Amino acid sequence: GYGEHLAVLAAHNPDIGFIGCEVFENGIGHLLSAIAEKNMENIRIFPQPAQPLLQRLPDQSIGRIFLLFPDPWPKKRHARRRFVQPETIELLGRILKDGGELRMASDDPGLITWITEHMMRSQDFRWLAGGADDWLTRPADWPLSRYEEKAINKGIQPVYWRFEKLYRQKKRQGLFFVFF
């Protein structure tokens, strides 16, 4: 998008480092303008698809991940291009800290179903929704984005997911005993 969500988060959290992944050049330009205007030094931009960067990040190195209104790739033959895929969910689970949060939003009915089905199959995440309001209401600390505003102005109800990265016991190495 245009980076307005990222710019608000970074401005309110100057002690936290942010990485924005975007390929849309106009969006990158808008974000660069916001960075310069507010003299923010805690944002880095990766102007390519996110997957190559995600593959290089260390395990449990990220505290929170946002995926906001991704391209729904609505044609069935293009579904493989969607960001949310089993491999990507596994990758996000690897780089997200235990207890960290994955936040996503969409206004596309087909993509909403797709994301929900794929995330519910994951062994790495727990959906934090306790009721319908939890995923139909944008959290208070979640800045409005341009795509979200467009959807709302069209009368479309966006969906907001919040998933917690589950704690995993580390495999213990060393001796083990077998009793007969």
Side-chain angles (χ1 to χ4, degrees):
Y2 281 84
E4 56 276 296
H5 181 271
L6 174 56
V8 170
L9 286 177
H12 286 102
N13 299 282
D15 56 328
I16 296 174
F18 293 86
I19 303 171
C21 298
E22 182 58 68
V23 296
F24 180 50
E25 289 180 9
N26 289 346
I28 294 169
H30 278 87
L31 180 56
L32 287 171
S33 295
I35 291 170
E37 180 182 313
K38 295 178 182 176
N39 197 28
M40 291 184 276
E41 297 180 357
N42 58 336
I43 298 177
R44 301 296 179 263
I45 299 172
F46 189 75
Q48 298 174 30
Q51 284 89 340
L53 173 64
L54 298 177
Q55 291 169 355
R56 289 179 176 86
L57 290 172
D59 292 359
Q60 296 197 37
S61 60
I62 303 294
R64 185 176 284 173
I65 298 170
F66 289 88
L67 176 62
L68 305 175
F69 300 90
D71 192 329
W73 293 102
K75 294 181 181 176
K76 194 172 186 174
R77 68 176 189 253
H78 293 157
R80 62 182 167 74
R81 294 183 178 178
R82 291 177 175 163
F83 184 85
V84 175
Q85 301 286 341
E87 303 80 29
T88 308
I89 295 169
E90 186 176 321
L91 183 58
L92 296 175
R94 182 185 62 77
I95 66 170
L96 195 60
K97 293 179 181 179
D98 286 346
E101 200 172 341
L102 171 58
R103 292 184 171 192
M104 298 186 280
S106 181
D107 62 338
D108 182 83
L111 189 57
I112 290 168
T113 300
W114 176 276
I115 289 174
T116 303
E117 288 176 354
H118 280 73
M119 289 303 298
M120 296 310 288
R121 289 185 198 124
S122 173
Q123 300 296 309
D124 291 323
F125 293 96
R126 177 178 68 91
W127 193 7
L128 296 175
D133 286 345
D134 292 340
W135 63 295
L136 296 176
T137 305
R138 180 172 36 90
D141 65 342
W142 186 318
L144 186 69
S145 75
R146 180 178 305 241
Y147 288 108
E148 177 183 4
E149 189 171 28
K150 283 182 181 182
I152 292 168
N153 289 339
K154 290 179 184 176
I156 300 170
Q157 171 64 60
V159 169
Y160 309 91
W161 294 275
R162 292 176 55 234
F163 292 94
E164 178 185 29
K165 165 70 183 309
L166 296 174
Y167 289 85
R168 296 288 179 204
Q169 284 186 324
K170 293 183 180 178
K171 294 180 181 176
R172 299 179 96 181
Q173 295 182 357
L175 297 173
F176 66 93
F177 298 93
V178 178
F179 294 95
F180 296 93

